[in-house]
């Protein structure tokens, strides 16, 4: 699937990502890779397990640091079967 930052959320997403540790930024990269390579959101959920919550055409993924602390959230919605609109929120 194609992953794009939600229009109007580019600056806040970039600021959130830049405020995270290198470990958390790598986690975001890994999550985006899963989303890009998944055929569907359900397939992505099977890979991301409990870190991903699906609700209708929306979803959220908890970004953890050291497998414990949730430091950010990747929020998104599906625009058809081909594109996902995302934003990142830092919980800091």
């Amino acid at each position: 699937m194609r992953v794009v930052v939600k229009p109007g959320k580019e600056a806040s997403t970039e600021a959130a990502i830049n405020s995270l540790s290198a470990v958390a930024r790598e986690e975001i990269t890994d999550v985006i890779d899963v989303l890009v390579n998944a055929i569907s959101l359900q397939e992505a959920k099977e890979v991301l397990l409990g870190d991903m919550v699906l609700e209708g055409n929306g979803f959220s993924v908890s970004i953890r640091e050291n497998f414990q602390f949730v430091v950010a959230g990747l929020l998104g919605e599906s625009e058809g079967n081909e594109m996902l609109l995302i934003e990142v929120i830092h919980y800091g």
Side-chain angles (χ1 to χ4, degrees):
M1 291 183 279
R2 185 170 171 232
V3 177
V4 178
V5 175
K6 286 182 184 177
K9 299 293 184 176
E10 298 90 350
S12 61
T13 292
E14 183 178 351
I17 291 170
N18 288 338
S19 67
L20 295 171
S21 69
V23 170
R25 285 193 306 268
E26 186 173 321
E27 182 71 19
I28 290 172
T29 301
D30 292 346
V31 168
I32 291 172
D33 285 345
V34 168
L35 294 171
V36 166
N37 292 306
I39 294 170
S40 66
L41 284 176
Q42 189 59 44
E43 182 181 80
K45 181 168 177 43
E46 290 172 12
V47 174
L48 297 169
L49 303 172
D51 285 334
M52 184 175 195
V53 176
L54 289 174
E55 293 182 13
N57 70 336
F59 64 93
S60 64
V61 181
S62 298
I63 305 300
R64 298 179 186 274
E65 192 166 296
N66 298 328
F67 302 101
Q68 293 178 322
F69 307 106
V70 177
V71 295
L74 188 147
L75 310 176
E77 59 190 58
S78 119
E79 288 287 313
N81 292 333
E82 298 295 318
M83 184 167 32
L84 301 175
L85 300 176
I86 65 163
E87 68 179 295
V88 175
I89 297 174
H90 180 216
Y91 303 136

